C-alpha cells in the first residue's frame, strides 16, 4: 500500500453518526502558527510559524499528561484544557540570503514524511527547505528554488516520491524528490495559492490521479495528474459570493469537494455534476470567514473553522433532526484565525492551530 494512502477506516469508526469533541491539550506558542503536520500515526506533530522555528512535539507524551499547564496558562482556556504540549525538539528555520549567510525565515507551510524520515517547509524567499528528522535532526539537506514569493502550501504525494508546492507568486509546482528537480508546473491560477489537496484513495494504487488547488481569490481547480497537458476543471464561484478562499478539502470517499468562503459559507461540489456547487452550507452571519476545513472519519461530519468558533457540521442529518441546528460548536478557539486542522485516521484526535498564515487577520496564538 502507498505509504500516505488513506488506510481503510477501522470497523466502527466509519459508521459513527456523530462525535463529542472536547479540547484537553494546549501546545503553547508565543507567536502565530502558520502550519502544522503530523506523521502517519500522529506520534510526532510538527509546527512552524512567525518566530522562524520548526518544533517537534511528542503527541503521545502530551496525551498521557506528562506535562500540565500552569494556573496562568489554564486561565486563557476552557476548563477541560489541562495538559501541556511536550516539545521534543526544535531547530532554526534558516534560509540562505544572496550573500550566502543563514537567515531565519518564518515557516509558511509544512509537510512531513509518513515515518518522519524528512520534512519539507516553505520559506519567505520562495525556497523550499528539505530537512532531516529521524537522523541528524534539523540538518538542512537541500533548498529547492523556483518560487519567487513565500511558499504557502506544501503537500507530499501519496507515493512520497513527489511534492506539490503553492506560492504567493500564483504558481503550483510538482517536484520529483528522487532527483530534487521541477517536474511539472500547473498554470491557471491568478492569485496567491491557499490550498492544495490530493484526492483521497483507499486502493493499493501508488498514484493519485486528481489534485485540488485553490487560491485566495476564490478560484478552485481540479487537475488530472495522469495528463500533463490537460486543462483543469473549474469549480465556479456562486453568484453574489465574494472572491475569496483559504481552505478546500475532499470528502472521505473523494467524490465531493468543500471550499470555505468569506461570506460565512462552505460550497459543496460533486465530481461529475458540473462546475456549480450542489449545495451551500450557511453559517451564522456573525461567524466570519471560513479559514480552515477538515473531514472526519465518518464522512458526514465536516469541521469548519471561522473567526468566532470551530464548528462540526452534520452533512447528513437524520429526518427527525433536519429542522434543528445542523452544527455543534467545538469549544476552545474564539476570536482568531485558524491556520490548519489535523485529524488522525480514526478521528480520535484533532489538532487546530491559530495563525493568519502571513495574510491579514488576527490570531490568539
Amino acid at each position: 500500500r502507498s505509504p500516505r494512502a488513506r488506510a481503510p477506516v477501522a470497523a466502527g469508526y466509519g459508521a459513527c453518526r456523530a462525535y463529542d469533541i472536547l479540547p484537553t491539550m494546549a501546545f503553547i506558542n508565543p507567536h502565530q502558527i502558520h502550519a502544522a503536520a503530523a506523521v502517519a500515526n500522529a506520534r510526532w506533530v510538527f509546527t512552524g510559524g512567525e518566530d522562524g522555528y520548526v518544533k517537534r512535539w511528542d503527541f503521545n507524551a502530551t496525551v498521557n499528561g506528562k506535562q500540565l499547564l500552569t494556573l496562568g496558562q489554564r486561565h486563557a482556556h476552557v476548563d477541560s484544557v489541562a495538559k501541556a504540549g511536550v516539545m521534543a525538539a526544535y531547530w532554526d528555520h534558516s534560509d540562505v540570503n544572496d550573500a550566502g549567510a543563514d537567515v531565519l525565515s518564518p515557516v509558511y507551510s509544512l509537510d512531513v514524511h509518513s515515518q518522519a524520515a524528512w520534512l519539507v517547509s516553505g520559506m519567505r524567499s520562495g525556497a523550499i527547505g528539505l530537512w532531516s528528522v529521524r537522523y541528524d535532526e534539523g540538518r538542512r539537506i537541500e533548498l529547492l528554488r523556483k518560487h519567487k514569493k513565500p511558499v504557502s502550501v506544501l503537500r507530499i504525494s501519496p507515493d512520497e516520491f513527489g511534492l506539490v508546492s503553492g506560492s504567493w507568486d500564483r504558481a503550483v509546482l510538482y517536484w520529483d524528490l528522487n532527483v530534487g528537480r521541477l517536474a511539472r508546473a500547473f498554470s491557471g491560477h491568478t492569485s496567491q495559492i491557499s490550498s492544495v489537496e490530493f484526492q483521497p484513495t483507499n486502493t493499493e494504487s501508488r498514484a493519485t490521479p486528481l489534485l485540488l488547488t485553490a487560491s485566495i481569490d476564490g478560484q478552485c481547480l481540479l487537475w488530472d495528474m495522469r495528463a500533463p497537458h490537460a486543462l483543469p476543471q473549474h469549480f465556479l464561484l456562486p453568484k453574489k459570493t465574494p472572491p475569496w478562499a483559504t481552505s478546500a478539502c475532499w470528502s472521505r470517499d473523494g467524490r465531493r469537494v468543500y471550499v470555505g468562503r468569506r461570506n460565512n459559507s462552505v460550497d459543496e461540489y460533486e465530481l461529475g455534476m458540473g462546475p456549480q456547487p450542489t449545495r451551500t452550507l450557511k453559517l451564522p452571519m456573525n461567524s466570519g470567514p471560513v479559514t480552515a476545513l477538515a473531514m472526519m472519519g465518518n464522512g458526514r461530519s465536516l469541521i469548519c473553522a471561522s473567526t468566532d468558533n470551530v464548528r462540526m457540521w452534520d452533512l447528513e442529518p437524520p429526518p427527525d433532526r433536519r429542522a434543528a441546528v445542523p452544527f455543534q460548536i467545538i469549544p476552545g478557539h474564539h476570536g482568531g484565525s485558524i491556520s490548519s486542522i489535523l485529524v488522525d485516521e480514526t478521528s480520535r484526535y484533532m489538532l487546530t492551530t491559530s495563525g493568519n498564515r502571513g495574510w491579514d487577520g488576527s490570531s490568539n496564538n
Side-chain angles (χ1 to χ4, degrees), residues 55-179:
K55 301 174 183 178
R56 177 169 63 89
W57 304 85
D58 188 332
F59 193 72
N60 285 2
T62 304
V63 170
N64 293 327
K66 298 296 184 181
Q67 184 171 305
L68 300 179
L69 296 171
T70 65
L71 290 178
Q73 291 171 333
R74 292 190 61 179
H75 182 72
H77 302 280
V78 295
D79 293 342
S80 60
V81 179
K83 302 174 183 178
V86 177
M87 187 186 302
Y90 72 94
W91 65 85
D92 296 350
H93 188 240
S94 57
D95 194 1
V96 178
N97 62 16
D98 295 336
D102 285 349
V103 292
L104 279 183
S105 169
V107 184
Y108 286 96
S109 52
L110 282 176
D111 206 0
V112 64
H113 181 264
S114 60
Q115 302 301 319
W118 43 268
L119 174 144
V120 288
S121 64
M123 300 182 176
R124 174 181 287 164
S125 67
I128 301 170
L130 178 62
W131 308 85
S132 177
V133 176
R134 185 182 297 175
Y135 308 105
D136 195 11
E137 184 172 19
R139 179 176 62 87
R140 190 177 62 218
I141 302 173
E142 187 60 72
L143 287 175
L144 306 177
R145 295 191 182 274
K146 185 65 175 181
H147 291 292
K148 304 301 182 184
K149 293 184 179 180
V151 179
S152 50
V153 189
L154 290 171
R155 287 292 178 269
I156 299 172
S157 62
D159 60 9
E160 301 194 319
F161 295 141
L163 170 70
V164 175
S165 61
S167 170
W168 291 13
D169 61 8
R170 302 174 295 178
V172 179
L173 305 177
Y174 179 78
W175 302 83
D176 186 345
L177 295 180
N178 287 318
V179 295

Side-chain angles (χ1 to χ4, degrees), residues 9-348:
V9 179
Y13 290 106
C16 179
R17 291 185 56 182
Y19 299 91
D20 184 13
I21 302 179
L22 192 66
T24 58
M25 299 166 278
F27 298 78
I28 304 298
N29 282 268
H31 297 84
Q32 298 191 40
I33 303 173
H34 295 330
V39 297
N41 60 358
R43 175 68 173 86
W44 305 109
V45 174
F46 299 83
T47 62
E50 193 66 29
D51 56 355
Y53 294 96
V54 178
K55 301 174 183 178
R56 177 169 63 89
W57 304 85
D58 188 332
F59 193 72
N60 285 2
T62 304
V63 170
N64 293 327
K66 298 296 184 181
Q67 184 171 305
L68 300 179
L69 296 171
T70 65
L71 290 178
Q73 291 171 333
R74 292 190 61 179
H75 182 72
H77 302 280
V78 295
D79 293 342
S80 60
V81 179
K83 302 174 183 178
V86 177
M87 187 186 302
Y90 72 94
W91 65 85
D92 296 350
H93 188 240
S94 57
D95 194 1
V96 178
N97 62 16
D98 295 336
D102 285 349
V103 292
L104 279 183
S105 169
V107 184
Y108 286 96
S109 52
L110 282 176
D111 206 0
V112 64
H113 181 264
S114 60
Q115 302 301 319
W118 43 268
L119 174 144
V120 288
S121 64
M123 300 182 176
R124 174 181 287 164
S125 67
I128 301 170
L130 178 62
W131 308 85
S132 177
V133 176
R134 185 182 297 175
Y135 308 105
D136 195 11
E137 184 172 19
R139 179 176 62 87
R140 190 177 62 218
I141 302 173
E142 187 60 72
L143 287 175
L144 306 177
R145 295 191 182 274
K146 185 65 175 181
H147 291 292
K148 304 301 182 184
K149 293 184 179 180
V151 179
S152 50
V153 189
L154 290 171
R155 287 292 178 269
I156 299 172
S157 62
D159 60 9
E160 301 194 319
F161 295 141
L163 170 70
V164 175
S165 61
S167 170
W168 291 13
D169 61 8
R170 302 174 295 178
V172 179
L173 305 177
Y174 179 78
W175 302 83
D176 186 345
L177 295 180
N178 287 318
V179 295
R181 295 178 182 174
L182 183 64
R184 181 179 175 182
F186 302 87
S187 301
H189 281 286
T190 57
S191 185
Q192 301 169 353
I193 307 302
S194 58
S195 183
V196 172
E197 295 290 342
F198 285 97
Q199 184 185 30
T201 176
N202 293 322
T203 67
E204 298 297 325
S205 172
R206 296 181 64 86
T208 299
L210 298 181
L211 177 70
L212 175 69
T213 61
S215 53
I216 196 71
D217 62 354
Q219 192 178 30
C220 191
L221 305 179
L222 190 64
W223 307 84
D224 190 337
M225 298 292 290
R226 300 165 297 184
H229 304 294
L231 296 176
Q233 175 184 339
H234 290 248
F235 293 122
L236 298 181
L237 197 69
K239 294 182 178 180
K240 299 182 180 180
T241 299
W244 188 91
T246 61
S247 181
C249 75
W250 289 90
S251 61
R252 295 289 288 198
D253 58 9
R255 297 177 181 176
R256 292 177 297 276
V257 169
Y258 298 89
V259 183
R261 303 295 186 186
R262 180 191 293 177
N263 60 341
N264 322 309
S265 65
V266 178
D267 291 328
E268 178 189 83
Y269 300 86
E270 189 167 349
L271 270 63
M273 297 296 290
Q276 297 289 346
T278 54
R279 64 170 164 171
T280 297
L281 311 179
K282 292 288 187 180
L283 277 68
M285 290 298 296
N286 61 347
S287 62
V290 178
T291 58
L293 295 170
M295 183 64 69
M296 300 296 285
N298 62 358
R300 56 181 290 178
S301 298
L302 179 68
I303 306 299
C304 308
S306 48
T307 304
D308 64 340
N309 286 302
V310 178
R311 293 174 171 83
M312 182 170 60
W313 195 289
D314 189 356
L315 300 175
E316 302 174 11
D320 58 337
R321 292 192 58 198
R322 287 178 180 171
V325 177
F327 60 81
Q328 69 181 67
I329 295 176
I330 300 173
H333 287 284
H334 181 73
S337 299
I338 306 301
S339 57
S340 62
I341 303 174
L342 297 179
V343 180
D344 79 318
E345 290 299 331
T346 62
S347 295
R348 182 178 180 183

